[in-house]
Amino acid sequence: MPTGFGTQLYAVNSVGGGKYQAQYGGEYLNELKQQYPDLFEAKTYDYWVKNYSNDGSDPYYALSQSTRQDMPTDEKIKQWSAKYMNGTN
């Protein structure tokens, strides 16, 4: 069965972001939203998921679909956390 991102366990090594994250984190979200509004809108997208059926002895990829929510511009991330993990780490 396919296991989409968000249902798998991940090890995350992170430091909270430091002084520059605290100073600038989220400061330009409204400006970015004005220039690139589609980045902040909800979208449905397709992605490939590795399927580990048969005890993982013969994994294969399955196409899945998901819808992301609108990205808020009122939440300024002053200290990064693994809860913001988006699959690109």
Side-chain angles (χ1 to χ4, degrees), residues 17-72:
K19 68 178 184 176
Y20 294 109
Q21 179 76 38
Q23 183 177 356
Y24 297 109
E27 289 302 312
Y28 302 100
L29 284 175
N30 288 325
E31 186 177 325
L32 287 169
K33 188 173 183 177
Q34 288 177 346
Q35 293 179 23
Y36 309 100
D38 58 321
L39 292 177
F40 295 83
E41 297 168 356
K43 289 190 179 164
T44 300
Y45 57 95
D46 295 331
Y47 61 97
W48 292 97
V49 178
K50 197 167 192 177
N51 188 315
Y52 292 100
S53 60
N54 301 326
D55 298 324
S57 60
D58 190 22
Y60 62 92
Y61 286 91
L63 187 61
S64 288
Q65 192 176 73
S66 184
T67 301
R68 74 168 194 221
Q69 299 175 357
D70 286 342
M71 189 181 338

